[in-house]
Amino acid sequence: MLGKKLVTAQKRGETRALCLGLGMVTCSMMMYFFIGITIVPFYTKSIWTAETVCKLLKANIKDKVLCPNSEGTEDEDIFPYPCLQVWVNLTASGQEVMLYHTEDTLERNPKCSYVPGKSENSKEVKAQIEKIASNFKKYQTFPCYYDPGGKQNNVILSRLYPPKGLLFAFLWPTLMFTGGCLIIVLVKISQYFSVLSAWQ
């Protein structure tokens, strides 16, 4: 009687462990799919792949502009903000080019180097942009990214999805997938030895 209860409990435990392993594998595959349709296209689309050193030439804050000014933009997303323009000397080619914060900044407003997040407080936005300009003037040289193919003459300060960020995004689903497969394999090995022991 006790043996039957132990066998039943063992089977229930194996079933739960197997479901857990399959669930982990399924979740990891869904995460892979999500990363593949969201992050990977932005990473492959970026042409600013080569890193170099930029030297500041000038950082000016011009009159307020509207952001953004692209097609498909809702009126509620348009707001005025001071336009920061940063010009740098690209050490890789010696050219005088305009610096943008990220790839997204160039798409949202090519006239300005930085596009702030929407805020109802215009004083905070102005103070934030002035702080960024002062930081550029404080640190005259800094790493930046340029297009080695020469399609874009401008440079960006940081990539939205650098290689390290992409690897980090794939790290968690990979660990989950490995853990799920390991659980399934251990359950199958346990079942095999159970059947082998019962047959003997």
Side-chain angles (χ1 to χ4, degrees):
M1 188 70 178
L2 183 61
K4 290 183 179 180
K5 289 183 178 180
L6 288 173
V7 171
T8 303
Q10 183 181 4
K11 287 183 178 180
R12 288 178 181 175
E14 289 175 350
T15 303
R16 291 174 182 175
L18 194 61
C19 290
L20 175 63
L22 291 174
M24 291 174 67
V25 171
T26 303
C27 289
S28 64
M29 297 304 292
M30 292 175 64
M31 291 174 68
Y32 277 129
F33 176 75
F34 180 75
I35 293 172
I37 63 174
T38 55
I39 298 178
V40 174
F42 285 105
Y43 175 79
T44 55
K45 183 181 177 182
S46 178
I47 58 177
W48 294 271
T49 55
E51 185 176 358
T52 185
V53 177
C54 288
K55 185 178 181 181
L56 179 69
L57 295 175
K58 55 185 176 180
N60 302 325
I61 298 178
K62 296 196 173 184
D63 296 335
K64 289 186 176 181
V65 295
L66 292 178
C67 169
N69 190 17
S70 57
E71 297 181 359
T73 301
E74 298 181 2
D75 293 338
E76 61 181 14
D77 293 332
I78 300 176
F79 63 96
Y81 66 95
C83 182
L84 172 65
Q85 290 185 343
V86 179
W87 292 88
V88 297
N89 184 10
L90 187 62
T91 56
S93 60
Q95 292 179 314
E96 181 180 336
V97 295
M98 189 169 178
L99 175 74
Y100 294 94
H101 183 214
T102 61
E103 302 96 328
D104 185 54
T105 307
L106 180 61
E107 293 182 2
R108 293 180 64 184
N109 193 345
K111 295 180 180 179
C112 303
S113 297
Y114 177 75
V115 177
K118 185 178 179 182
S119 175
E120 296 179 358
N121 194 333
S122 59
K123 292 182 179 179
E124 290 183 359
V125 174
K126 183 179 179 181
Q128 181 185 13
I129 292 177
E130 288 177 350
K131 183 178 180 182
I132 294 173
S134 64
N135 286 336
F136 275 117
K137 293 176 182 178
K138 182 179 179 181
Y139 304 100
Q140 293 289 317
T141 57
F142 43 84
C144 59
Y145 296 90
Y146 71 98
D147 175 20
K151 294 181 180 179
Q152 288 286 347
N153 294 327
N154 41 58
V155 295
I156 61 174
L157 181 63
S158 59
R159 299 180 64 183
L160 285 173
Y161 300 103
K164 290 182 180 179
L166 191 66
L167 290 176
F168 185 77
F170 278 106
L171 175 63
W172 297 111
T174 302
L175 292 176
M176 185 179 292
F177 180 82
T178 305
C181 291
L182 186 61
I183 290 175
I184 294 173
V185 170
L186 290 176
V187 170
K188 291 299 181 181
I189 291 174
S190 176
Q191 290 177 344
Y192 171 77
F193 280 110
S194 296
V195 172
L196 186 63
S197 178
W199 181 75
Q200 289 178 349

